[in-house]
Amino acid sequence: MSFFEAAMLFCFGLAWPVSLVKSYKSRSTGGKSLMFSMVVVIGYAFGILHKIFYHPDIVLILYIINLLMISADVCLWFRNRHIEKKERLSRVETAAENEQ
């Protein structure tokens, strides 16, 4: 096990809960890049595959935890996009009603 790899994953892992709470509370996709998140998901998936096939050790758990958290953030991005679309549609309908 590499101490530095574990420390890196632990530090990255500290950021994801903050991002999840922000995404959940804001109900907005603002400030979030789906493309960036997907690249991170792919990166963690490759890290997991490397651990499984070439260097299995306990650090695999950190990769999995981080992958689950960023995946949850991606799901919240789609939820928030849906919320934003509904709110936009509601504003358009309200504006149309007010014009009449």
Side-chain angles (χ1 to χ4, degrees):
M1 176 182 81
S2 167
F3 169 78
F4 297 110
E5 180 183 25
M8 176 204 62
L9 289 166
F10 179 77
C11 290
F12 284 170
L14 291 177
W16 297 130
V18 173
S19 182
L20 282 167
V21 169
K22 180 183 173 193
S23 292
Y24 182 77
K25 286 184 176 181
S26 73
R27 301 169 66 91
S28 168
T29 59
K32 296 281 184 167
S33 167
L34 179 61
M35 184 66 74
F36 174 79
S37 296
M38 294 307 299
V39 168
V40 173
V41 165
I42 292 167
Y44 281 133
F46 280 129
I48 289 169
L49 291 172
H50 173 77
K51 285 295 177 186
I52 290 171
F53 292 122
Y54 298 106
H55 198 260
D57 61 27
I58 195 77
V59 175
L60 176 63
I61 294 170
L62 294 174
Y63 277 103
I64 293 170
I65 291 169
N66 284 342
L67 177 64
L68 291 173
M69 287 190 287
I70 186 66
S71 296
D73 206 25
V74 167
C75 291
L76 285 173
W77 188 92
F78 282 104
R79 177 202 79 146
N80 291 345
R81 189 178 88 179
H82 178 72
I83 290 170
E84 289 172 343
K85 283 183 177 181
K86 280 177 55 176
E87 288 174 352
R88 249 190 316 258
L89 181 60
S90 176
R91 283 193 301 266
V92 167
E93 290 173 348
T94 301
E97 289 173 3
N98 289 340
E99 289 180 4
Q100 294 177 355

